[in-house]
Amino acid sequence: MTITKSVFPQTAIYRTVRGEITPATVHAPIGKHMLVDDLGFVVDLKRSSGPYIYDSLTNRKLLDFFSFVASMPIGMNHPKLNDAKFLERLTA
């Protein structure tokens, strides 16, 4: 998979062997293989932080009131998870 620039600012196009996947089209191919409860957004895991989810579909930052229905108690990309000491302990 390669990532190329899109004509839309801040929107990557992911090129695969079978074509392009964009935030606007990602639900269709995933829906062929699993249940997709379309909430109307596409989470960008790299740009999401703390209690905020970055939606690649609308290029907006959203406050996550439900914390993925209680499965993310510390939020997205918590800074302590990238701490060198923590990573060292994790991989030891």
Side-chain angles (χ1 to χ4, degrees):
M1 178 176 6
T2 59
I3 302 172
T4 59
K5 289 187 177 180
S6 169
V7 292
F8 301 104
Q10 301 177 346
T11 302
I13 294 177
Y14 299 89
R15 297 190 189 283
T16 65
V17 174
R18 296 183 181 164
E20 295 179 355
I21 298 175
T22 66
T25 62
V26 72
H27 290 112
I30 291 173
K32 292 178 183 177
H33 305 284
M34 62 183 282
L35 177 63
V36 179
D37 292 337
D38 185 8
L39 298 174
F41 59 89
V42 177
V43 177
D44 183 329
L45 294 176
K46 289 185 178 182
R47 297 173 100 179
S48 297
S49 177
Y52 293 96
I53 296 173
Y54 188 86
D55 175 19
S56 292
L57 190 59
T58 60
N59 292 318
R60 293 185 307 164
K61 193 184 237 186
L62 306 169
L63 180 58
D64 179 15
F65 285 103
F66 295 104
S67 299
F68 286 108
V69 190
S71 63
M72 290 286 293
I74 61 171
M76 307 289 285
N77 294 322
H78 193 280
K80 295 251 181 184
L81 295 176
N82 289 319
D83 181 62
K85 288 183 181 182
F86 173 77
L87 292 173
E88 185 179 322
R89 284 182 44 213
L90 188 64
T91 58

